């Protein structure tokens, strides 16, 4: 069960995630205004401002629906998945949190993610591959991890950051194809092309920096505290890492990949390896380090 000490330790994490969310929402609005300015001076800026307000509201209020639709997941009932529901009800009781909506994706790769703007409007999704390849003790560890992401407000910042990454790519592509000098010109604007060259690779970098790898360590630690034992999650992570490098995950939007408990796109990378720079800017810390911390009791209330 979460203790008072654990909550006071996690409170700064929640506040910092809230600050980062507000920053990303502001950036998203600014990007839309820039995109509007590329279309035209006055009318374009107004269009961009309206588009920004719509995207900001949409990314906040509908982040859960966007993520669930992207995963092609279906909501399940207690009658359909009694063990799934029982484990989550127990975890929510000990965490003092409302029950999230539960979903299952047909994805064959074992994986899971949480989404939603706050604990009262949240959802947890597991893949069919997870349910068919892991025992319920390991599933419990995964669900505890995802529930703690909800408590820490990680899922909101993840959803907003994904929207920002998409907007950056959209603006960069728009700039790339704007005609030079306006009327009757052919070819891309040279400054717009430079903007594209700078922003396109920065899009992925911004997402990775905004969604710090430390959030996975924090969710692991909170899950171990919630269960009073880090072993179930450690066992699950070892198996998830194995499957993520061998079983492809189809239909996952790269902007949503950081929401999953392990990177779902590893199998699509060459040889299942991210390479030097990929590891440096990865949204997920190494599974070996996560397992080591859980096995050594490096979580709140322990070492």
């Amino acid at each position: 069960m979460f203790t008072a000490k654990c909550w006071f330790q996690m409170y700064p994490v929640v506040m910092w995630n809230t600050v980062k969310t507000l920053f990303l929402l502001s950036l998203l609005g600014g990007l839309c205004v820039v995109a509007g300015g590329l279309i035209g001076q006055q009318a374009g800026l107004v269009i961009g401002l309206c588009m920004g307000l719509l995207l900001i509201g949409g990314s906040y209020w509908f982040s859960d629906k966007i993520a669930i639709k992207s995963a092609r997941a279906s909501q399940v009932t207690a009658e359909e998945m009694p063990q799934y529901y029982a484990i989550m009800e127990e975890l929510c009781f000990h965490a003092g949190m409302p029950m999230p909506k539960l979903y299952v994706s047909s994805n064959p790769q074992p994986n899971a993610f949480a989404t939603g703007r706050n604990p009262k409007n949240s959802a947890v999704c597991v893949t069919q591959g997870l349910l068919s390849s892991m025992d319920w003790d390991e599933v419990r560890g995964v669900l505890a991890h995802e529930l703690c992401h909800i408590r820490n407000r990680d899922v909101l910042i993840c959803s907003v950051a994904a929207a920002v990454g998409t907007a950056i790519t959209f603006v960069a592509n728009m700039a790339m194809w704007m005609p030079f000098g306006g009327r009757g010109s052919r070819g891309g604007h040279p400054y717009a092309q430079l903007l594209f060259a700078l922003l396109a690779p920065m899009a992925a970098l911004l997402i990775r920096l905004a969604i710090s790898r430390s959030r996975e360590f924090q969710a692991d630690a909170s899950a171990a505290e919630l269960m009073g034992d880090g072993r179930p999650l450690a066992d699950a992570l070892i198996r998830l890492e194995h499957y993520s490098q061998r079983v492809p995950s189809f239909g996952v939007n790269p902007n949503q990949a950081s929401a999953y408990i392990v990177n779902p796109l590893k199998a699509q990378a060459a040889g299942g390896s991210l390479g030097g720079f990929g590891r440096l800017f990865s949204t997920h810390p190494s599974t070996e380090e996560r397992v080591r911390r859980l096995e050594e009791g490096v979580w709140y209330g322990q070492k």
Side-chain angles (χ1 to χ4, degrees):
M1 181 182 293
F2 274 101
T3 62
K5 177 183 177 182
C6 178
W7 171 242
F8 283 122
Q9 287 173 313
M10 294 307 301
Y11 184 72
V13 174
V14 175
M15 292 302 297
W16 178 233
N17 281 346
T18 301
V19 171
K20 288 192 288 185
T21 299
L22 292 175
F23 168 76
L24 288 169
L25 285 171
S26 301
L27 180 59
L28 178 59
L31 285 168
C32 291
V33 173
V34 171
L38 292 173
I39 300 173
Q41 290 298 317
Q42 296 181 351
L45 290 174
V46 172
I47 292 173
L49 178 61
C50 293
M51 184 170 62
L53 292 174
L54 287 173
L55 281 176
I56 289 171
S59 63
Y60 180 80
W61 289 101
F62 304 111
S63 60
D64 54 342
K65 294 179 176 61
I66 293 171
I68 292 299
K69 185 175 181 180
S70 175
R72 298 181 178 88
S74 301
Q75 188 172 1
V76 294
T77 65
E79 291 73 22
E80 293 171 327
M81 293 276 184
Q83 193 69 21
Y84 185 8
Y85 259 81
I87 292 173
M88 185 57 79
E89 285 179 341
E90 176 198 356
L91 292 171
C92 288
F93 173 77
H94 288 299
M97 294 175 60
M99 182 80 171
K101 295 178 181 177
L102 301 185
Y103 289 81
V104 175
S105 165
S106 60
N107 198 321
Q109 184 193 87
N111 222 318
F113 69 89
T115 185
R117 63 184 182 273
N118 56 47
K120 292 183 179 179
N121 299 274
S122 61
V124 171
C125 177
V126 299
T127 66
Q128 191 61 52
L130 182 93
L131 296 175
S132 62
S133 64
M134 295 195 174
D135 62 43
W136 286 111
D137 199 38
E138 292 168 337
V139 172
R140 184 170 180 265
V142 171
L143 294 180
H145 173 95
E146 297 306 332
L147 189 64
C148 290
H149 271 315
I150 295 172
R151 184 169 190 132
N152 298 350
R153 301 300 196 276
D154 288 329
V155 293
L156 175 59
I157 189 174
C158 182
S159 299
V160 172
V164 171
T166 302
I168 290 176
T169 304
F170 170 76
V171 173
N173 278 282
M174 176 180 284
M176 181 66 176
W177 297 107
M178 287 299 294
F180 177 71
R183 302 176 183 176
S185 297
R186 297 180 180 179
H189 194 299
Y191 295 113
Q193 291 175 344
L194 177 61
L195 182 66
F196 172 82
L198 292 174
L199 288 182
M202 286 175 59
L205 178 60
L206 177 63
I207 295 298
R208 287 168 172 80
L209 294 180
I211 309 172
S212 171
R213 286 177 288 181
S214 64
R215 74 185 183 90
E216 293 298 334
F217 287 132
Q218 291 159 356
D220 289 346
S222 298
E225 174 75 14
L226 176 60
M227 296 183 295
D229 181 10
R231 187 71 253 175
L233 179 55
D235 290 341
L237 287 172
I238 292 171
R239 299 188 67 182
L240 286 167
E241 177 68 16
H242 171 81
Y243 284 114
S244 70
Q245 297 186 35
R246 291 163 176 78
V247 181
S249 182
F250 300 106
V252 175
N253 185 334
N255 284 315
Q256 296 285 348
S258 60
Y260 287 76
I261 187 170
V262 296
N263 186 353
L265 303 178
K266 280 188 177 182
Q268 281 88 323
S273 174
L274 295 176
F277 283 104
R279 288 191 296 270
L280 180 62
F281 295 115
S282 174
T283 56
H284 293 76
S286 72
T287 300
E288 292 80 4
E289 177 63 15
R290 294 171 69 181
V291 170
R292 183 191 68 79
R293 293 188 180 203
L294 288 166
E295 289 180 339
E296 294 181 1
V298 185
W299 70 76
Y300 304 121
Q302 301 293 319
K303 293 183 181 179

